[in-house]
Amino acid sequence: MYDTETLPIAQAVSRSIWPKRDEELKLGLRVDAIDHKKQWYPGSVIEITESADENCEESSTKVRIHFDNTSSKYDETYTIEDFNSGQVRPLYSHATPRTKP
C-alpha cells in the first residue's frame, strides 16, 4: 500500500532544504512567493545569477522564480534577503495547492 497524497512530502522536502545563505540556493527549489501584487503563489526557482555590486566588493545572488500555471512574463526575481525576511517561504506554507495538477 502506498500513500498517494504527495502534499505532506512536498512540504517536508521544501522545509528540509530551505536555504539560509546564497550558497544553499538550488535550481528547482519549490517555494511560495509573494508577487508584486502582494499575493502568494507556488513556484520554482528556475535561474540563479550572481552579480557584483559596484559599490560593494561582495557579489549578490539573485534567483528567478517562475509561478505555477503562469506565463514567464510574470516571473519575479528575489535575493536571499527575501528568503530570510519571509517574502519567499517553503512550498504551500502560504499558497493553497490546487485540487488538480
Side-chain angles (χ1 to χ4, degrees), residues 4-44:
T4 58
E5 179 59 45
T6 59
L7 179 61
I9 295 169
Q11 290 173 320
V13 168
S14 182
R15 287 183 180 110
S16 70
I17 59 173
W18 196 249
K20 303 254 190 275
R21 302 184 324 254
D22 286 345
E23 302 82 31
E24 296 172 345
L25 291 167
K26 303 258 186 268
L27 284 175
L29 178 66
R30 299 283 294 146
V31 299
D32 282 353
I34 195 165
D35 70 354
H36 64 282
K37 293 182 180 180
K38 306 296 183 208
Q39 295 180 351
W40 288 93
Y41 293 100
S44 299

Side-chain angles (χ1 to χ4, degrees), residues 14-81:
S14 182
R15 287 183 180 110
S16 70
I17 59 173
W18 196 249
K20 303 254 190 275
R21 302 184 324 254
D22 286 345
E23 302 82 31
E24 296 172 345
L25 291 167
K26 303 258 186 268
L27 284 175
L29 178 66
R30 299 283 294 146
V31 299
D32 282 353
I34 195 165
D35 70 354
H36 64 282
K37 293 182 180 180
K38 306 296 183 208
Q39 295 180 351
W40 288 93
Y41 293 100
S44 299
V45 174
I46 59 167
E47 182 180 22
I48 301 173
T49 56
E50 287 195 30
S51 61
D53 189 0
E54 296 173 3
N55 300 331
C56 186
E57 294 182 16
E58 294 181 14
S59 64
S60 64
T61 302
K62 295 183 180 182
V63 298
R64 188 164 54 120
I65 295 178
H66 176 75
F67 298 110
D68 295 352
N69 304 313
T70 63
S71 171
S72 61
K73 70 180 182 179
Y74 297 111
D75 293 355
E76 297 272 346
T77 302
Y78 299 91
T79 63
I80 192 66
E81 287 80 21

Side-chain angles (χ1 to χ4, degrees), residues 79-90:
T79 63
I80 192 66
E81 287 80 21
D82 296 322
F83 281 73
N84 293 333
S85 69
Q87 290 182 306
V88 182
R89 302 293 302 156

